[in-house]
Amino acid sequence: MNLKIEKDGSLGNDLFKDSGGEKTSTPWLGITADKWKLGITLFSGKIMGLMLVLLAMVTLPGLFGTHANAAAVAGPTAIETSLMNSINTTWTLVAAFLVFGMQAGFVMLEAGFARTRETVNVLMECIFDTCLCGILFWAVGYAFMFGWGNGFIGWHGDPAGKIAGSWFFLSNIPETYGATGIPILAHWIFQYAFADTCSTIVSGAMIGRTSFRGDILYSIGITGFIYPIIGHWAWGPDGFLALMGSKGGFFESLGTGFRDFAGSTVVHTIGGIASLAGAIVLGPRFGRIFARDDKEKGGMPPAHNLTLAAIGGFILWFGWYGFNPGSTLNAMDMQGIGRVAANTTLAACGGGMAAMFIALWFGPTKGKFDLGYTINGFLAGLVAITASCYWVSPGGSIILGMVAGVLTYIGMNVVEWFRIDDPVGAVTVHGINGIWGTLSIGFFACGKYGFTSPVGADNTAPVAGLFYGGGFQVLEAQLIGSAIVTGAVFAVCMVMMFIIMKLPHPWSLRVPIEAETGPGGLDMFEHGTSAYPEIVDEDIDLSKLSAPELVK
């Protein structure tokens, strides 16, 4: 059948005509010749793009080297190194932006779980902490954490590189951070986002009764000193936990070091245990009734906006794809990045499901599906996988996430039993599950993966946990490191919070009783406004909405 093009340039109008003049139906109804040309052009472009992708897949492994040809290649050239460093830097910055975006999730989560009368205070504290953290991490925090010094604190450049002077205020810094090839300011941005996360965790457990000036003081202590100095122990270039098990290092006889890939200990345990200290020193919100005192009226006060809390939880989950995969600090380890992202997802899913079902079977709303426990359950799974995400298998991620979900239910009820007022569950989600996530490496490290590097993965010395034939060695190292960090943070934060609590108003850690009980609550007392100002109906003249002059 020969199809004829009509004079108007189309392949027929309603029907095509064959050479015999008979009409026959067609699925290509009314397609002009121009549209055919456009379609062919787009199709050709897609084919060309696919060919370029296939070409890249063939050539790039040869450019950067693989395990198969590593012996035949002496090493990357200067151009190749520059290209890899540029790609790694871009990846690290994208991850940093994702982690920073978690602040939006934190403010939504905390504001959603809080009461209406303390919403502005929650938002203001989180915003202030973000700004303060940037200044402090620039001035002293980064030097304390990532500078060279001794096993307990850093402050200056690498002595092997003969870099003189301190790193305070980001002075005397080299162009790149260590052997990563990443510009040190790009590394600073990434680590600043982590420091900001730790600071924001603490505010969640202290909602509703913390004075804003008291928040300023403890935020200075945590962000400027506690987090970076204790973080140096595990992540600093010469931290004693980072060098644990090495020749001449702490616990040399152990033969293995402390591991925390993305911060279950350094970020979440520090934040969660500092939250515990603050909540203990502050005491509960005025009028808070605990379940052990009154089973009918007791328990957590209802969240004022669970919609906001759920959205905040999902934003945090999304940001975790920068938190964990970004901690590779390189885009060359493609298998590692993919594995970390998949493990992060599966642990969150396991945590959410486990928390939901255990609350369904045993919770205060027995027989009902509890949203609050479910949100905190998947967040707990994310916290738990943060330390181990590089070394565990997908199956192991689901199991350790499920354990985190169960711990969330148990932990929140234990905290409640001890009459500790933690409105968002920060102590349990970040503190308890930060510890569990750290220990989980000793159980679930699958014995296949070693370390990541700027040029790819190095699996020559894989990490194996107890369940994969590795014995107790790794678990022992994790237990020692976690216990040291947990004990140090709790002791220092208890002292700091107690001192601030004893200061006179308005610098005391807790607001006066009238601030909690007065009209408008903490929002009006500290900030002079409400998150939900009342709208008086008589102030709005609805009749004008249908006036003839407004209708076109």
Side-chain angles (χ1 to χ4, degrees), residues 59-75:
T59 57
L60 285 179
L63 176 63
F64 295 125
T66 63
H67 291 291
N69 63 14
V73 179

Side-chain angles (χ1 to χ4, degrees), residues 361-427:
W361 296 329
F362 303 105
T365 57
K366 189 174 182 179
K368 309 291 183 181
F369 297 95
D370 190 284
L371 178 59
Y373 277 118
T374 305
I375 295 171
N376 276 336
F378 76 67
L379 291 175
L382 290 165
V383 170
I385 195 63
T386 298
S388 59
C389 54
Y390 193 82
W391 296 291
V392 301
S393 66
S397 299
I398 296 174
I399 296 173
L400 72 87
M402 293 176 67
V403 173
V406 173
L407 288 175
T408 297
Y409 174 81
I410 296 173
M412 291 181 69
N413 282 277
V414 169
V415 169
E416 162 84 13
W417 192 86
F418 279 104
R419 298 190 180 94
I420 298 171
D421 189 6
D422 180 6
V424 303
V427 174

Side-chain angles (χ1 to χ4, degrees), residues 541-552:
D541 187 356
L542 299 178
S543 63
K544 293 182 179 180
L545 297 179
S546 59
E549 60 270 17
L550 297 179
V551 179
K552 294 183 180 180

Side-chain angles (χ1 to χ4, degrees), residues 515-533:
E516 295 185 60
T517 60
L522 194 59
D523 286 353
M524 290 302 299
F525 183 85
E526 289 280 28
H527 309 287
T529 188
S530 171
Y532 306 99

Side-chain angles (χ1 to χ4, degrees), residues 207-420:
I207 289 173
R209 69 273 203 207
T210 307
S211 73
F212 191 74
R213 290 173 178 83
D215 174 80
I216 293 174
L217 295 179
Y218 83 69
S219 294
I220 291 173
I222 291 173
T223 306
F225 300 93
I226 296 172
Y227 170 77
I229 292 175
I230 295 181
H232 177 83
W233 301 355
W235 282 357
D238 52 0
F240 75 93
L241 290 179
L243 300 178
M244 184 170 70
S246 61
K247 186 176 181 180
F250 176 65
F251 248 95
E252 179 180 347
S253 60
L254 191 60
T256 189
F258 175 75
R259 295 173 175 87
D260 183 14
F261 187 77
S264 287
T265 294
V266 174
V267 178
H268 297 286
T269 301
I270 291 178
I273 299 303
S275 300
L276 176 62
I280 291 173
V281 172
L282 274 172
R285 288 169 289 179
F286 182 79
R288 172 82 157 84
I289 302 174
F290 295 93
R292 65 180 292 189
D293 300 318
D294 190 328
K295 292 183 178 180
E296 296 295 328
K297 298 180 181 179
M300 186 71 70
H304 95 273
N305 193 330
L306 280 174
T307 303
L308 197 65
I311 295 172
F314 270 120
I315 292 175
L316 287 171
W317 188 337
F318 179 66
W320 239 285
Y321 291 122
F323 211 101
N324 288 358
S327 292
T328 59
L329 296 180
N330 75 84
M332 298 297 106
D333 186 2
M334 296 173 288
Q335 292 294 328
I337 291 172
R339 182 174 65 256
V340 170
N343 289 341
T344 299
T345 302
L346 292 171
C349 295
M353 294 290 283
M356 180 185 72
F357 281 113
I358 195 170
L360 172 71
W361 296 329
F362 303 105
T365 57
K366 189 174 182 179
K368 309 291 183 181
F369 297 95
D370 190 284
L371 178 59
Y373 277 118
T374 305
I375 295 171
N376 276 336
F378 76 67
L379 291 175
L382 290 165
V383 170
I385 195 63
T386 298
S388 59
C389 54
Y390 193 82
W391 296 291
V392 301
S393 66
S397 299
I398 296 174
I399 296 173
L400 72 87
M402 293 176 67
V403 173
V406 173
L407 288 175
T408 297
Y409 174 81
I410 296 173
M412 291 181 69
N413 282 277
V414 169
V415 169
E416 162 84 13
W417 192 86
F418 279 104
R419 298 190 180 94
I420 298 171

Side-chain angles (χ1 to χ4, degrees), residues 74-313:
T77 65
I79 295 177
E80 291 168 349
T81 300
S82 178
L83 180 60
M84 285 189 290
N85 289 344
S86 297
I87 295 172
N88 292 341
T89 300
T90 302
W91 166 244
T92 301
L93 286 174
V94 169
F97 303 151
L98 283 171
V99 177
F100 182 82
M102 294 173 73
Q103 295 306 312
F106 274 118
V107 297
M108 288 183 178
L109 181 80
E110 294 182 10
F113 277 130
R115 299 174 297 185
T116 306
R117 60 196 292 114
E118 56 211 26
T119 305
V120 171
N121 185 253
V122 171
L123 301 176
M124 188 64 188
E125 284 187 355
C126 290
I127 293 172
F128 170 79
D129 286 348
T130 298
C131 298
L132 177 67
C133 179
I135 301 299
L136 290 175
F137 208 64
W138 161 74
V140 296
Y142 187 82
F144 284 152
M145 193 165 187
F146 294 101
W148 289 78
N150 54 46
F152 293 93
I153 189 171
W155 67 86
H156 62 81
D158 182 0
K162 298 180 180 179
I163 301 173
S166 75
W167 280 8
F168 298 128
F169 304 98
L170 293 182
S171 58
N172 305 306
I173 56 175
E175 291 186 355
T176 59
Y177 179 70
T180 65
I182 297 172
I184 201 164
L185 291 180
H187 187 254
W188 178 86
I189 285 286
F190 185 69
Q191 295 300 336
Y192 154 66
F194 274 56
D196 192 19
T197 297
C198 180
S199 176
T200 308
I201 289 169
V202 181
S203 65
M206 302 169 66
I207 289 173
R209 69 273 203 207
T210 307
S211 73
F212 191 74
R213 290 173 178 83
D215 174 80
I216 293 174
L217 295 179
Y218 83 69
S219 294
I220 291 173
I222 291 173
T223 306
F225 300 93
I226 296 172
Y227 170 77
I229 292 175
I230 295 181
H232 177 83
W233 301 355
W235 282 357
D238 52 0
F240 75 93
L241 290 179
L243 300 178
M244 184 170 70
S246 61
K247 186 176 181 180
F250 176 65
F251 248 95
E252 179 180 347
S253 60
L254 191 60
T256 189
F258 175 75
R259 295 173 175 87
D260 183 14
F261 187 77
S264 287
T265 294
V266 174
V267 178
H268 297 286
T269 301
I270 291 178
I273 299 303
S275 300
L276 176 62
I280 291 173
V281 172
L282 274 172
R285 288 169 289 179
F286 182 79
R288 172 82 157 84
I289 302 174
F290 295 93
R292 65 180 292 189
D293 300 318
D294 190 328
K295 292 183 178 180
E296 296 295 328
K297 298 180 181 179
M300 186 71 70
H304 95 273
N305 193 330
L306 280 174
T307 303
L308 197 65
I311 295 172

